[in-house]
Every structure is written in C-alpha cells, then in structure tokens.
C-alpha cells in the first residue's frame, strides 16, 4: 500500500520490519529462497520475510502454535511485550559494546 494511514493499525509483519530496520539489521537473513519456521510463511509479504526471520532469531517476536500471523493486527499486549524485549536487547547490546570497549581499549 502507498497510503500512509496514520490512524490505521500496525500489522505484525510491519512491526517486525520497523524493529529490524531500527536496529540496522535488515538483510541479515539467509540467502533468498529460505523459509521461516512458521506454518503460515506463505502469507508473509516478501518485504517483511527477512525482518520476521531476524526478529524471531533475536527473540523480539514469536508466533503462536507455529503461526506468525503476519497480517494480523498487533495487540496492545503484544506491543508492550515486543517493546520490552526490544529495550532488553538494546541494553544487552550496549553492555556488550561497553565490555568490548573496556577490554580492548588501547
């Protein structure tokens, strides 16, 4: 869709794409042609497949009963859980970078 729609809902695949782009990790999935582990992989829009794969691998997002439900609306509860995991990931990444900077400081 080419419509901005600021009052619209965010889908799960859009949320995954936003998170992974914010982390600068787009394009980190396997070579083209791979499939995610989700039973509804065929419902994932091509632009979002890499992001869903990476978000799943990082533990930022997950499915339910083997399904990701990519075009489903993101609930408030899911949003809160995803934001919490995102912040925890950032905190752990910052701590690791700090440790690396201290240990390898010249």
């Amino acid at each position: 869709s080419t419509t901005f729609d600021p009052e619209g809902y965010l889908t799960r695949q859009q949320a995954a794409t936003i998170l992974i782009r914010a982390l600068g990790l787009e394009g980190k999935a396997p070579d083209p042609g791979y499939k995610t582990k989700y039973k509804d992989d065929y419902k994932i829009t091509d632009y979002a497949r890499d992001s869903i794969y990476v978000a799943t691998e990082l533990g930022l997002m997950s499915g339910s009963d083997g399904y990701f439900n990519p075009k489903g609306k993101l609930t408030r509860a899911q949003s809160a859980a995803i934001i919490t995991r995102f912040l925890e990931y950032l905190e752990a990444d910052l701590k690791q970078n700090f440790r690396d900077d201290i240990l390898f400081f010249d």
Side-chain angles (χ1 to χ4, degrees):
S1 173
T2 57
T3 305
F4 179 60
D5 194 14
E7 301 298 321
Y9 291 96
L10 192 63
T11 65
R12 292 176 48 75
Q13 67 183 2
Q14 289 168 334
T17 302
I18 290 167
L19 289 173
I20 298 309
R21 286 181 183 172
L23 291 171
L25 297 176
E26 58 268 52
K28 299 294 184 187
D31 291 331
Y34 71 93
K35 293 186 186 276
T36 66
K37 65 180 181 176
Y38 297 109
K39 296 175 187 174
D40 56 354
D41 177 86
Y42 67 95
K43 291 183 179 180
I44 299 170
T45 305
D46 286 342
Y47 80 84
R49 183 167 277 103
D50 283 4
S51 295
I52 290 171
Y53 177 88
V54 174
T56 299
E57 291 299 309
L58 295 179
L60 299 176
M61 294 182 77
S62 62
S64 178
D65 296 323
Y67 293 90
F68 188 77
N69 190 19
K71 294 181 178 143
K73 295 175 185 170
L74 199 62
T75 67
R76 289 180 181 163
Q78 290 169 338
S79 298
I82 291 166
I83 290 168
T84 299
R85 289 186 214 119
F86 181 77
L87 293 173
E88 288 170 350
Y89 176 84
L90 288 177
E91 181 181 14
D93 190 48
L94 284 172
K95 285 180 181 176
Q96 184 61 47
N97 285 340
F98 180 75
R99 280 188 219 111
D100 291 347
D101 289 346
I102 295 299
L103 291 174
F104 300 110
F105 183 72
D106 291 326

